[in-house]
Amino acid sequence: MCGAGVHACSGSPDPLWKTLMCGIAGIFRSEGDTTPADRSAVERMAAAQTHRGPDDGGLFQDARVVLGHRRLSIIDLSPTGHQPMCNEDATVWVTYNGEIYNYAELAAELPAHRFVSRCDTEVLLHGYEEWGMEGLLRRLRGMFAFAIYDNRGAQPLCLLARDRLGIKPLYYIARPNFIAFSSEVKALVVSGLAPNRKNPTAMAGLLLFGSVPAPATGIQGVKCLLPGHYLTTSRAGIADRKYWDPDDSDPRPPGSGFRDTLADAVNRHLVSDVPLGVFLSGGVDSAALVALASRAKPALTTLTVVFDEREYSEGAEALRIAQQFGTDHREVRVTSQDFMRELPNVLRVMDQPTNDGVNTYFVSRAARQAGLTVVLSGLGGDEVFGGYKHYRWLERHGNSIRRFSALPGFLRRTVLSTAVGYGRVRGRENWMRLSSLQNGVSDAGLYLALRGFFAPQQVRALLDVHSNEIRLAAGEYLASTGPASRDAFRKMEMRRYLHDQLLRDTDVFSMAHSIEVRVPFLDHQVVERAASLPQPELNGHGNKPLLTEAVADPAVFAAAHRSKRGFAFPFGKWMRLNSGELREMALAGGCLNRATIGKLWNEFDRGRLHWSRAWMLAVIGAGK
């Protein structure tokens, strides 16, 4: 039987289907039988992810597969959505983490299939049976990571799939005739299948970019399934296929304007049977999100984190926006003492080392304290709507960059060496990162110069390696050459900063508090439509004109005319108050050069090194 206590129904589903945010795990053997040790490994992976799904758990095993699941219920809290879930004759199984926002429409296209639950999970099962994996993935609108086990043919299959933008995570270990997977890297380590050995090839990428660059992870042998990809495992081997690219998509569905697409995306993200709110700062992204959400859901809760350090606190601006839209507004105060008290917990839940994400930990904790389970975030707004200052800088200085790249090599290197030397003397990291352009003004070099983390020479000193190794790592992880262009730059931003850092940190630190964060601006139809528009319309005068004009609300226009501040905590000030303790943490690790750590920390104490660099040294020193 597939689940217990379920009821049969035919035709399209009841409108109130349940959706889940969860943790998944599993082992598949294309040859040979699964073992009791396999079952124990999956049980350990599932247990390690209880925070992702505290409401329920399940496990399925047969000769080829062991599937595990942890469930956080969001809509319809009954047991009918128990996972792993199977089709009518138990030949196809699924374990799934995510939200399918068009599940009702898809179910209506499957009248020949018998539904035994009111859960979007079952749409994956019957959709796969009806359309195959690529046909199913093309139709899905949402955030998801799932595994399907297909035992209908002579050769059983295991398929892993991930949403287009990589909102929900999925990691795996692949060996001949074997694959293991999980929602978190540390769960694979806890399983005993992945030795807890740091990945040295990922360390250069971590220091260059501020987060581990996918598909690598911080652990040897563990890979990240890339966004918009699915993996097929069978006796024939393992095949990784890409099913989505915004450049290859049809961005203009008939009868749909951008304003309608955006409003529809936000409305779909509001469905919930548990308390739902919106993270609200004083910025244009969250103001636009509140404006759109309040039109569909008048009784809206908004949440803002405030600080004693007024120069960082956006409480006044957020309160003004909340009052304009009549939300139930909550303020949660976070202090330096909170930061140090929670530091062990922050490091404990961190799945991979990152220079950021601590703010997400605290706002998610605040959301849980405020009684919320689902929170909407404006994450992705800067990437989709061209909000970063460096996008406009590239637009203004494109001709100058091209002229500089045309200079003779010796002259270009002389100019850059002078600039890098100035940065080293004055403690200016942005000048030091210009060394990334000494071998030519490529997309990769320009990205590292403008958006890199540690400068290449700092990475070389921290790792005690030759500069060629740093250059090779940068080229491998950016995989982009040729003349610099803003479009290529934005794609790297989506791939490296948005996916590897913002989305990964948001998932890990929100799920640590059993909070589901939804990101309507990363609905793939919104992303496709925005990417299809002419660049002047996307990055014209003012802050995010495409977004503000689509929302067309005075409060949003006002937020767009305020200076951009970003969602920043006073971590630099807090870290300097506790510099001695954090310095010792940084020096405790054994994988970086201690003398270089000491020099860099001295620069931090003198105000010449950004706090995020010092924080990364502390994170690595703590063994993350």
Side-chain angles (χ1 to χ4, degrees), residues 72-105:
L72 173 64
S73 301
I74 303 300
I75 299 175
D76 185 357
L77 310 184
S78 70
T80 58
H82 184 78
Q83 292 190 52
M85 182 181 288
C86 65
N87 64 348
E88 298 92 330
D89 60 2
T91 56
V92 180
W93 289 79
V94 66
T95 182
Y96 151 66
N97 168 29
E99 301 261 9
I100 306 301
Y101 297 118
N102 62 335
Y103 55 80
E105 296 97 313

Side-chain angles (χ1 to χ4, degrees), residues 16-21 54-55 71-78 99 269-278 297 299-301 330 367-368 370-376 514-518:
L16 284 180
W17 277 35
K18 69 174 65 68
T19 50
L20 316 170
M21 298 312 291
D55 297 329
R71 171 186 172 194
L72 173 64
S73 301
I74 303 300
I75 299 175
D76 185 357
L77 310 184
S78 70
E99 301 261 9
H269 283 71
L270 290 170
V271 178
S272 176
D273 277 354
V274 294
L276 178 147
V278 179
K297 189 181 180 68
L300 194 66
T301 298
R330 320 281 183 86
R368 175 55 66 184
L372 301 174
T373 303
V374 178
V375 183
L376 271 60
S514 301
I515 292 290
E516 173 189 320
V517 175
R518 299 177 181 175

